[in-house]
């Protein structure tokens, strides 16, 4: 069965779990600082004439800490870990993760770093143990960072 954006939390948790105290949507009451909360806020499929080939999920990750510097340091480590992640994660063939927005707030005696990531992954099944590659739509420059789609 192909993975959809609905289940992207499985991959996100796998990436974030080394940071300890990681929770989907809301932390347990009384959780000690620092902690991390994540959740999907949107997702959609991409297709061409051959059908659906990938999906994009937008995921929010929030870091809460008692000290500002601690919140920034942990958030920076998370950004680095997320953005270097490619390949198979919990059955998702991740092509790219990039931070697309960030914000910081002070709320209920905690410094909070809010980051939004865009996660792009293949939705096609593996055939003969080969992972589908990100399509270039006939243009070898299509997947380069500065190429306009």
């Amino acid at each position: 069965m192909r993975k959809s954006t609905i289940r992207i939390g499985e991959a996100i948790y796998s990436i974030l779990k080394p940071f300890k105290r990681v929770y989907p949507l809301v932390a347990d009451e009384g959780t000690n600082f620092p902690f991390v909360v994540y959740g999907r806020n949107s997702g959609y499929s991409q297709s061409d004439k051959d059908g659906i080939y990938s999906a994009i999920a937008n995921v929010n990750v929030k870091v809460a800490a008692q000290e500002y510097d601690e919140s920034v340091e942990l958030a920076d480590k998370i950004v680095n870990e997320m953005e270097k992640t490619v390949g198979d994660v919990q059955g998702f063939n991740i092509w790219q993760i990039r931070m697309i927005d960030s914000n910081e707030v002070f709320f209920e005696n905690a410094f909070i770093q809010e980051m939004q990531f865009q996660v792009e992954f293949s939705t096609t099944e593996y055939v003969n143990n080969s992972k589908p590659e990100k399509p270039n739509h006939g243009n070898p420059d299509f997947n380069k960072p500065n190429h306009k789609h």
Side-chain angles (χ1 to χ4, degrees):
M1 180 170 97
R2 74 176 176 86
K3 298 271 189 164
S4 75
T5 59
I6 300 297
R7 299 181 71 111
I8 195 64
E10 297 169 6
I12 300 305
Y13 178 76
S14 180
I15 296 166
L16 296 177
K17 72 182 174 184
F19 293 101
K20 313 286 187 249
R21 293 192 291 269
V22 176
Y23 303 91
L25 302 179
V26 64
D28 294 338
E29 191 169 328
T31 297
N32 291 327
F33 291 108
F35 62 84
V36 178
V37 176
Y38 67 93
R40 169 185 38 84
N41 68 356
S42 68
Y44 57 93
S45 298
Q46 297 188 108
S47 62
D48 59 18
K49 64 180 177 50
D50 296 322
I52 296 172
Y53 63 86
S54 74
I56 292 179
N58 290 320
V59 176
N60 287 324
V61 176
K62 296 180 182 182
V63 171
Q66 286 184 314
E67 301 295 328
Y68 177 78
D69 289 344
E70 182 180 33
S71 73
V72 170
E73 184 177 321
L74 181 54
D76 194 42
K77 288 178 181 176
I78 287 171
V79 170
N80 288 329
E81 190 64 30
M82 293 283 285
E83 289 186 336
K84 75 177 187 182
T85 300
V86 294
D88 183 56
V89 179
Q90 295 298 110
F92 288 86
N93 180 17
I94 294 177
W95 287 335
Q96 178 181 39
I97 299 176
R98 63 187 183 101
M99 187 174 70
I100 58 173
D101 197 11
S102 66
N103 187 33
E104 57 186 3
V105 297
F106 185 79
F107 182 72
E108 294 187 7
N109 296 320
F111 292 94
I112 301 176
Q113 300 296 323
E114 303 174 331
M115 301 152 288
Q116 184 173 6
F117 294 92
Q118 187 175 71
V119 182
E120 186 176 7
F121 59 95
S122 172
T123 58
T124 57
E125 297 291 332
Y126 298 165
V127 179
N128 298 327
N129 294 322
S130 65
K131 294 181 180 179
E133 298 215 359
K134 188 173 182 178
N136 65 15
H137 302 282
N139 179 347
D141 294 329
F142 186 81
N143 294 320
K144 291 186 178 169
N146 294 323
H147 180 74
K148 303 253 188 266
H149 295 207

